[in-house]
Amino acid sequence: MSEELDFAMQLAREAGQLIFEHRRDADLDHAYKGGNELVTDADLAADKLICDSIRKAWPGHEIVSEESAPEVAAAAQTMAEPVWIIDPIDGTVNYAHGHFQSAVSIAHSVGGEIKLGVVYNPFMDEMFSAEKGQGAFLNGASIRVSEVSDLRRAIIATGFPYIKQGIEPMVDRLRQILNHCADIRRLGSAALDICWLAAGRLDGYYESLSLWDFAAARLIAQEAGAHCGNFSPVPAGIDPQFHCDDLLIANPELYPQLLKLLRQA
Ligand code: LIP
């Protein structure tokens, strides 16, 4: 295990403990970024803990964070210095409503490649982790994607943006999936959706996101044997590891079938 992965796992657990105790012991304060996107004081406290710890341990590294440095996400792929990509609470709406499907997500990119990812759900005490080329793990045990090959037996996860304008194409894609697959799940945390796919609990996933939502989980799924891509063209010069639009992640048997379905919608 690299020093960076050990650091990321310890930090994710520490931030997870903070958000767990914060919700247990205090009333949550919250606000709406841009009038739509929920953020709680726990998001901000966890973000501060994570970013302060990174700056102390890795002073020369860059940070992309949903709560304190979102504007540099687009540059993450080409940053010269190593970059930490942070979502202090993925599944903020779930967290604010007392649900248990929320996680701390930490990824580390070097030279334009995501080298490690950690996603920790403190409410289930589940630590998903991966380093490039080293496999994927849940609480230290190796995980693999499902072997479901028939769409009619497949459970597919997705999600929807905070702003609902222009949602019609998403409804059309949802109709396609419901007409051809066993069922859908909308669990409210992209990072955990993708990690559950890596662990074989889901068979496919699609959504458009922000980089911090998926940077860690996408590597975990890839290391667990998933095919990770996009169901619309990726612009020239953009590496799919950093491309936020129309993500599609599935086991290798289902990926081409889902790609065809989503493109036909
Ligand atoms: C959330 C994602 C979820 C998506 C939500 C939101 P947040 O991230 O994890 O999959 O559907 O719209 O983007 O805002 O909780 O970090």
Side-chain angles (χ1 to χ4, degrees):
M1 179 184 301
S2 70
E3 187 183 354
E4 289 85 351
L5 178 61
D6 183 51
F7 168 82
M9 290 174 75
Q10 288 189 47
L11 185 52
R13 190 174 295 279
E14 192 180 342
Q17 193 61 29
L18 181 152
I19 68 173
F20 180 95
E21 292 174 354
H22 192 98
R23 188 171 80 177
R24 182 191 63 191
D25 302 338
D27 293 333
L28 285 179
D29 290 329
H30 66 272
Y32 287 90
K33 295 182 284 189
N36 294 287
E37 192 167 346
L38 184 66
V39 58
T40 73
D41 53 337
D43 289 84
L44 302 178
D47 183 73
K48 184 177 188 318
L49 166 68
I50 293 167
C51 293
D52 287 353
S53 300
I54 291 170
R55 291 190 184 100
K56 182 177 179 183
W58 311 97
H61 292 193
E62 298 282 355
I63 297 175
V64 171
S65 165
E66 177 175 15
E67 303 309 342
S68 57
E71 69 285 350
V72 293
Q77 179 184 331
T78 57
M79 285 178 174
E81 298 298 336
V83 188
W84 295 90
I85 303 167
I86 310 298
D87 191 345
I89 304 179
D90 186 66
T92 295
V93 174
N94 286 350
Y95 176 79
H97 285 78
H99 301 184
F100 304 120
Q101 196 75 357
S102 300
V104 177
S105 179
I106 300 174
H108 191 230
S109 171
V110 180
E113 183 164 63
I114 306 289
K115 295 290 192 183
L116 70 88
V118 170
V119 175
Y120 178 59
N121 179 347
F123 304 101
M124 306 286 285
D125 193 23
E126 289 193 327
M127 179 76 75
F128 297 90
S129 65
E131 279 191 286
K132 184 80 174 173
Q134 304 294 318
F137 301 89
L138 167 54
N139 292 345
S142 178
I143 54 176
R144 293 293 297 175
V145 295
S146 77
E147 295 183 355
V148 172
S149 57
D150 182 349
L151 281 177
R152 293 165 302 173
R153 301 287 180 259
I155 304 294
I156 309 300
T158 190
F160 307 99
Y162 289 103
I163 298 174
K164 299 295 186 290
Q165 275 81 351
I167 199 168
E168 292 72 19
M170 296 180 205
V171 175
D172 293 340
R173 288 193 283 268
L174 193 60
R175 184 180 296 111
Q176 271 285 68
I177 296 296
L178 288 169
N179 283 336
H180 292 85
C181 299
D183 207 344
I184 67 112
R185 292 293 183 272
R186 200 291 192 243
L187 298 173
S189 165
L192 288 176
D193 288 343
I194 300 169
C195 286
W196 277 32
L197 186 152
R201 297 173 181 172
L202 294 167
D203 305 306
Y205 168 82
Y206 71 97
E207 189 174 3
S208 292
L209 294 166
S210 298
L211 178 60
W212 44 77
D213 294 322
F214 70 89
R218 185 182 185 280
L219 175 66
I220 293 166
Q222 194 167 54
E223 289 295 320
H227 187 122
C228 301
N230 305 78
F231 58 87
S232 64
V234 176
I238 301 294
D239 186 307
Q241 295 173 86
F242 297 88
H243 186 52
C244 302
D245 297 341
D246 298 336
L247 275 80
L248 172 59
I249 300 173
N251 75 38
E253 290 291 318
L254 290 177
Y255 187 90
Q257 299 177 67
L258 288 168
L259 181 63
K260 184 177 178 184
L261 270 190
L262 292 169
R263 283 179 170 173
Q264 287 173 340

